[in-house]
Amino acid sequence: MKHARPRWRAAAAVTAAALALTACSITGGSEQETTTGTAADGSTVADRDVTLLVHDSWYLPRKVLRAFEEETGYRVEVQTNGDAGSLTNKLVLTADNPLGDAVFGIDNTFATRAADEGVLAPYTPADLPASAADYALDGEAGEQLTPVDWGDVCVNVDDAWFAERDQAPPRTLADLADPAYRDLFVTPAASTSSPGFAFLLATVGEYGEDGWQDYWTRLMDNGARVAKDWTEAYTVDFTAGGGDGDRPIVLSYSSSPPFTIPKGEERPTTSALLETCFRQVEYAGVLAGADNPEGAQSLLDFLVDRTFQKALPDSMYVYPVDAETPLPPLWEEWAEPATDPIEVDPAEVTAQRDEWIRTWSDLTAG
């Protein structure tokens, strides 16, 4: 099948003109040099600026975005805006005066809210990988948001801790409420953490809208700890997170185990419980009313290009939507995704999010 030439590569023809305007690019706002003038093609520095709004888990080696900038002549400024929920809320609050041109990091739990509030413009990259269709949204949201990456939020266990005590680790959500695992589980808060909210959705999907409340009552009665965010849960409370914690069961990702392989060894000391996973998909879009919609579209083309997709696993610990992108060798062996992740209809999430979080907060308070 013949593919169209990627927009971000096609724009390389204007690179020389853009380089005449500026000698320094922007990535994450850490390097900034502002110049003025008009290029031979009539474009100005402002025409070349593209502002990308992201969540605070964004991390990318500078050389990756430089590849886009050098190919297209656009200059990217990255602005972080809290987690996926905070990012989406800020887009809604600033819809009449958008803070940027493009957004990356709206996940499937907030996607319909962004679409319903009219903060996005329709756009789909011409060279979207065929495998991205597996993560496409329905309806208007699907016309506005492009899937970029995905990951499974799963319960992880410290296998070494359980082996030392000759105790079988848990396998299911139900096991976490078993007295055999009292005071051993820690999860980020659903009210302040994106993975924490994903775990709440996993329990909604597993036990139903009328059953998840009882599950959380039993879970808390069994000594579950609620941490402020993933960092606190994993790096402070988890026994294998490097923080001398006391909880050998933690809510994390299916991609977390490869990062617990001891130096000089070949196997991780932790594993993900694949029956507990909720799949998160992250999307990108062009903002309605953007100052530079063409630059934003070109940037979206780049986000699904192989150069960016290949950088995702090692940079942000997520799987690329392009199934043909090679994964790091350790991921192939130790970061197995769930074959049947728990799902909740995104439209139902939008309708029930606030009520579910209020109820969850009541159940876990005190």
Side-chain angles (χ1 to χ4, degrees):
M1 178 181 295
K2 184 178 179 180
H3 294 284
R5 190 183 185 197
R7 178 188 293 267
W8 73 280
R9 292 192 188 282
V14 301
T15 301
L19 292 177
L21 301 177
T22 178
C24 183
S25 61
I26 302 174
T27 304
S30 58
E31 285 188 13
Q32 181 171 356
E33 180 175 309
T34 301
T35 57
T36 60
T38 302
D41 65 354
S43 62
T44 66
V45 168
D47 294 332
R48 302 298 179 202
D49 287 346
V50 183
T51 301
L52 176 64
L53 307 183
V54 301
H55 54 49
D56 56 12
S57 295
W58 165 275
Y59 174 77
L60 197 69
R62 183 169 299 176
K63 65 180 182 181
V64 178
L65 276 185
R66 282 198 190 283
F68 168 77
E69 294 178 324
E70 291 170 359
E71 287 278 359
T72 65
Y74 286 117
R75 190 174 62 172
V76 182
E77 180 181 0
V78 177
Q79 292 184 4
T80 56
N81 291 272
D83 65 12
S86 298
L87 173 63
T88 305
N89 291 335
K90 186 170 288 187
L91 294 178
V92 172
L93 292 173
T94 60
D96 293 334
N97 187 22
L99 300 176
D101 302 299
V103 58
F104 164 81
I106 297 175
D107 68 21
N108 49 328
T109 69
F110 285 94
T112 53
R113 178 159 194 246
D116 292 346
E117 295 290 343
V119 303
L120 301 163
Y123 182 71
T124 300
D127 276 2
L128 189 65
S131 54
D134 295 340
Y135 312 99
L137 296 162
D138 294 330
E140 192 174 26
E143 298 173 357
Q144 299 175 352
L145 287 166
T146 296
V148 176
D149 64 66
W150 60 277
D152 285 340
V153 178
C154 314
V155 175
N156 279 217
V157 296
D158 181 351
D159 294 303
W161 188 95
F162 284 100
E164 289 172 0
R165 290 156 181 79
D166 196 25
Q167 180 180 354
R171 294 179 56 252
T172 66
L173 292 176
D175 288 344
L176 301 182
D178 188 309
Y181 304 105
R182 177 178 295 279
D183 297 334
L184 300 185
F185 176 53
V186 58
T187 180
S191 56
T192 57
S193 160
S194 178
F197 184 59
F199 182 61
L200 169 58
L201 294 181
T203 64
V204 173
E206 181 74 7
Y207 293 99
E209 190 166 347
D210 296 326
W212 68 268
Q213 302 89 340
D214 177 65
Y215 173 77
W216 273 93
T217 297
R218 291 187 286 114
L219 192 64
M220 298 307 295
D221 287 346
N222 204 39
R225 178 183 294 166
V226 176
K228 178 183 64 176
D229 53 25
W230 177 88
T231 300
E232 180 178 302
Y234 197 92
T235 68
V236 177
D237 292 329
F238 187 39
T239 51
D244 198 24
D246 61 359
R247 300 267 167 161
I249 309 172
V250 66
L251 192 284
S252 192
Y253 297 88
S254 65
S255 56
S256 299
F259 299 94
T260 64
I261 298 176
K263 187 177 182 180
E265 298 186 19
E266 298 180 348
R267 298 177 61 90
T269 61
T270 66
S271 60
L273 307 184
L274 299 184
E275 295 183 33
T276 68
C277 303
F278 180 86
R279 183 152 295 171
Q280 280 186 318
V281 182
E282 291 189 314
Y283 299 87
V286 175
L287 295 180
D291 288 338
N292 190 351
E294 291 187 353
Q297 292 173 6
S298 185
L299 185 55
L300 255 67
D301 293 344
F302 177 70
L303 297 184
V304 295
D305 182 86
R306 184 64 54 82
T307 300
F308 184 86
Q309 292 282 296
K310 189 176 179 180
L312 284 168
D314 281 336
S315 300
M316 290 191 269
Y317 314 123
V318 291
Y319 302 86
V321 293
D322 182 358
E324 300 300 319
T325 303
L327 294 173
L330 289 177
W331 281 53
E332 294 281 5
E333 189 167 7
W334 301 115
E336 180 184 2
T339 56
D340 187 23
I342 300 169
E343 297 179 348
V344 178
D345 185 340
E348 187 177 6
V349 175
T350 298
Q352 300 291 335
R353 178 187 295 105
D354 293 344
E355 178 59 31
W356 287 344
I357 289 180
R358 275 195 296 269
T359 302
W360 177 89
S361 297
D362 290 341
L363 292 170
T364 58

